[in-house]
Amino acid sequence: MVVFLAIICCLLALIPAVLFIQNLSLYAPLPNAENKTTARCSVLIPTRNEERNIGDALRSILHSTGIDLEVIVLDDGSSDSTAEIVRSIGSTDSRVRLETALPLPSGWCGKNFACQQLASLASHSTLIYMDADVRVSRPDSLVRLTSFLELGGVALASGVPREITGGLMEKLIIPLIHFVLLGFLPLRLMRSGTDPGFAAACGQILAVKKEIYLTTGGHGAVPDRIHDAVALTRHLRAQGFTTDLFDATEFFSCRMYETPLDVWNGFAKNAHEGLGSRQLILPATAILFCGQVLPFIFLLTPFSVTAKLLSFAGAALALLPRILAAIRFQQSWVGVVLHPFAIVILLAIQWSAWLGARQNRSSVWKGRSYSAAP
């Protein structure tokens, strides 16, 4: 029985390891921009109490070259100096302008409504949504992204930036974004059609064609979705439009969260529409725990030599994607060494969010309460 369970665990570790390796070659950086007259884009930043981030974000954008851009910052009821910082930078660079958000209507998440307003204010045909904690790493990042969207035949494209991590909780949990994305999403199938089941996106940096965004309803089609980027991507694919992912590591960077509580709450608020949804919570738990945790537990138990060898193989396969990710995406090696503990914490976050949804507890983010969307 133990040997049989060890075989199952080994297989559950093998599948994401193989898919991760296959996806690494498909998850490519942005190509060089094609020679053309002038690329144009509207960089759109929804903000709410982002005085610590917005100045550096804007300065990183304004260093961009080879592109005609406008930067629109929508201040959504900030109680800090966010608006003053934007005004100060805008007074010295006409490409930056500040807008004020309308009151949040019932049935909308704050970011979704802000993004919808930003699209209506944009002048250019390419919209690039960027969170205030994201930094543009290279002068050619935006022109490459704009060219990729316009010439790649896709309606929407996004990528995971280089995630900067400081504390232990950050190093454990945040790198799992790449592990789950590339270990469980077959990119070939995602690119071969428009099935919404293969929708994936990162809302930290997301580019979309304005005409398609507006004609399909944009965020207005997914007003109550907390995981707005994935919901928007799924909506566009359901309308027959293709979407894509790119490796944003060398082009953008981000410090998502800075405290353990922020990491927990940040991942919990999206859990309702991800691994912590009622459809995925049980299979995700079984797959991740058996494939990524049990092999390490079996190594510490007095089982037979066969079970030990299978467990060693399972543990090696579980660590392989994390090792490759640490090299490719400049991730901390702490998360690699403590990988099984990271999976346990991730599952705890998902179950906490699921139980909270069952008890009708709201998630609180940026001073607003959100309930799980149906």
Side-chain angles (χ1 to χ4, degrees):
M1 179 63 182
V2 173
V3 171
F4 176 75
L5 184 56
I7 292 173
I8 296 299
C9 292
C10 197
L11 289 174
L12 290 177
L14 174 65
I15 293 171
V18 170
L19 188 56
F20 193 97
I21 293 171
Q22 292 177 343
N23 282 337
L24 272 184
S25 62
L26 300 173
Y27 186 65
L30 291 170
N32 288 322
E34 296 289 336
N35 292 326
K36 56 181 186 175
T37 309
T38 306
R40 295 178 175 86
C41 75
S42 298
V43 180
L44 311 176
I45 310 177
T47 59
R48 182 175 171 86
N49 295 331
E50 292 286 359
E51 64 180 5
R52 294 179 59 186
N53 284 312
I54 191 60
D56 289 340
L58 290 175
R59 283 184 282 272
S60 73
I61 295 168
L62 296 175
H63 286 148
S64 299
T65 57
I67 190 164
D68 178 7
L69 63 84
E70 64 173 356
V71 186
I72 308 174
V73 180
L74 188 76
D75 181 42
D76 187 10
S78 296
S79 58
D80 62 6
S81 60
T82 297
E84 288 74 12
I85 294 171
V86 178
R87 287 194 192 95
S88 176
I89 295 175
S91 67
T92 60
D93 196 315
S94 61
R95 293 174 294 176
V96 177
R97 79 175 194 262
L98 175 71
E99 299 285 351
T100 302
L102 297 171
L104 182 65
S106 176
W108 282 80
C109 289
K111 183 179 179 182
N112 303 30
F113 187 53
C115 289
Q116 188 79 1
Q117 294 174 79
L118 282 164
S120 68
L121 296 167
S123 303
H124 298 313
S125 59
T126 298
L127 310 179
I128 298 180
Y129 287 103
M130 191 177 111
D131 286 351
D133 51 12
V134 173
R135 307 290 178 263
V136 179
S137 304
R138 296 172 40 147
D140 64 346
S141 296
L142 294 179
V143 69
R144 282 183 179 230
L145 178 51
T146 301
S147 179
F148 176 70
L149 189 72
E150 292 181 353
L151 303 177
V154 296
L156 177 151
S158 69
V160 181
R162 182 171 74 88
E163 302 292 0
I164 300 171
T165 55
L168 178 61
M169 188 73 157
E170 297 170 69
K171 296 178 188 297
L172 290 177
I173 302 301
I174 292 176
L176 293 177
I177 295 173
H178 280 108
F179 171 71
V180 173
L181 175 67
L182 300 181
F184 295 91
L185 174 69
L187 293 185
R188 290 189 189 278
L189 290 178
M190 180 201 71
R191 289 174 176 159
S192 66
T194 62
D195 185 344
F198 295 111
C202 177
Q204 294 171 327
I205 186 74
L206 182 147
V208 60
K209 293 178 179 176
K210 181 181 179 182
E211 182 180 2
I212 294 174
Y213 178 93
L214 295 177
T215 56
T216 57
H219 282 83
V222 291
D224 58 349
R225 296 292 179 174
I226 298 175
H227 208 327
D228 65 289
V230 174
L232 178 63
T233 303
R234 186 177 292 123
H235 171 67
L236 291 183
R237 292 176 70 88
Q239 303 299 310
F241 295 102
T242 56
T243 64
D244 207 349
L245 295 168
F246 63 93
D247 182 0
T249 304
E250 66 175 291
F251 301 101
F252 303 91
S253 66
C254 179
R255 177 80 183 270
M256 288 181 68
Y257 309 119
E258 297 187 14
T259 69
L261 183 60
D262 284 345
V263 174
W264 185 286
N265 290 337
F267 277 76
K269 73 180 173 65
N270 291 331
H272 307 303
E273 298 165 14
L275 298 181
S277 67
R278 66 175 182 267
Q279 298 91 348
L280 290 180
I281 188 70
L282 287 176
T285 299
I287 292 170
L288 288 174
F289 189 79
C290 292
Q292 308 299 317
V293 179
L294 271 186
F296 297 92
I297 295 176
F298 286 170
L299 283 175
L300 303 176
T301 55
F303 291 146
S304 66
V305 174
T306 302
K308 287 276 191 179
L309 289 174
L310 288 168
S311 299
F312 180 81
L317 288 168
L319 289 178
L320 180 58
R322 298 302 311 275
I323 293 171
L324 296 174
I327 297 170
R328 170 77 175 266
F329 305 121
Q330 304 174 40
Q331 295 175 355
S332 169
W333 287 94
V334 173
V336 178
V337 175
L338 300 179
H339 174 63
F341 297 98
I343 294 295
V344 170
I345 295 172
L346 176 66
L347 290 175
I349 294 173
Q350 307 306 305
W351 276 98
S352 174
W354 182 81
L355 291 172
R358 291 270 295 178
Q359 298 169 6
N360 294 319
R361 292 202 309 261
S362 299
S363 299
V364 178
W365 194 251
K366 297 286 186 180
R368 288 174 173 148
S369 296
Y370 298 104
S371 298

